[in-house]
Amino acid sequence: MRRKLIFVLTAVLCNGLFLACDSTDNSIDCPEDFTGALTTNEEKLPGDWVLTAMTADTEVDLTNDQTDNPSMDLFAQYEDCQKDARYSFGANRTYLYLQSQNAENCDNEVTLGGTWQLTEDLLSLTGSCSVSNIPLNFKDDATAFSFTETFNIADAEGKTIQANVTFTYTLTEL
């Protein structure tokens, strides 16, 4: 059940806005890839951004350890495979989202990609014939960004808890 949160996030990010089919010829009108030179504002995004925190606005116990120990820090409760997520944004406007690629013995590896654009603090991602728009909050020195989504989370006992979850990604050097 804990993995659902990560995979729901992936689905939200990659399938945020579906475009309708043209009813006359049954074809899908996919959005154009983002192209062109980066704006001054966008120059802060190219690089590798690793998931470093995941917090909820309410306490949740995700650990099946026979102890009632809810926490708002969801990241600390996840296993290595679930924490292993990163975005790689290229200066050529391409991006990759990679999950469970570096941790050992992960069952659910994910690789998604497309193109990106940053307008003010709204990140737009194209991929799989869809566009996702994610409002980002950048740290003052632009070394981290975060965004918040609302999820229904199943705790260790199977109880569903609705929470606003904030994901934080930190710029790294590879």
Side-chain angles (χ1 to χ4, degrees):
M1 292 299 214
R2 292 180 276 145
R3 293 180 189 205
K4 283 186 179 179
L5 180 61
I6 291 292
F7 293 109
V8 168
L9 169 66
T10 302
V12 167
L13 295 178
C14 296
N15 297 314
L17 176 63
F18 286 99
L19 299 175
C21 296
D22 184 335
S23 60
T24 59
D25 64 6
N26 293 328
S27 66
I28 297 173
D29 291 330
C30 293
E32 296 280 330
D33 284 340
F34 295 114
T35 60
L38 300 182
T39 65
T40 302
N41 180 55
E42 292 175 314
E43 291 176 358
K44 63 187 170 192
L45 202 54
D48 291 311
W49 299 80
V50 176
L51 180 65
T52 54
M54 189 181 335
T55 57
D57 64 349
T58 188
E59 291 186 333
V60 180
D61 184 1
L62 298 175
T63 57
N64 192 9
D65 58 5
Q66 311 308 321
T67 304
D68 186 25
N69 51 355
S71 171
M72 295 170 80
D73 185 355
L74 303 181
F75 192 78
Q77 298 182 65
Y78 278 119
E79 296 173 7
D80 288 343
C81 289
Q82 297 161 320
K83 295 178 188 180
D84 180 14
R86 75 178 164 102
Y87 283 98
S88 288
F89 294 101
N92 62 354
R93 294 197 178 277
T94 60
Y95 82 91
L96 285 174
Y97 173 78
L98 304 162
Q99 181 182 321
S100 300
Q101 304 287 318
N102 298 310
E104 292 185 25
N105 301 319
C106 298
D107 295 330
N108 298 314
E109 292 182 3
V110 175
T111 302
L112 303 169
T115 61
W116 66 273
Q117 173 179 286
L118 184 65
T119 306
E120 294 183 18
D121 286 339
L122 181 67
L123 176 63
S124 299
L125 303 173
T126 64
S128 301
C129 202
S130 65
V131 176
S132 296
N133 294 301
I134 307 157
L136 302 181
N137 295 306
F138 280 91
K139 188 175 172 183
D140 288 340
D141 63 2
T143 60
F145 69 77
S146 61
F147 58 90
T148 302
E149 295 285 338
T150 302
F151 292 98
N152 289 321
I153 304 170
D155 70 5
E157 296 177 353
K159 183 174 130 188
T160 301
I161 300 166
Q162 187 175 56
N164 292 316
V165 179
T166 300
F167 299 86
T168 301
Y169 287 81
T170 303
L171 184 61
T172 64
E173 293 184 32
L174 294 179

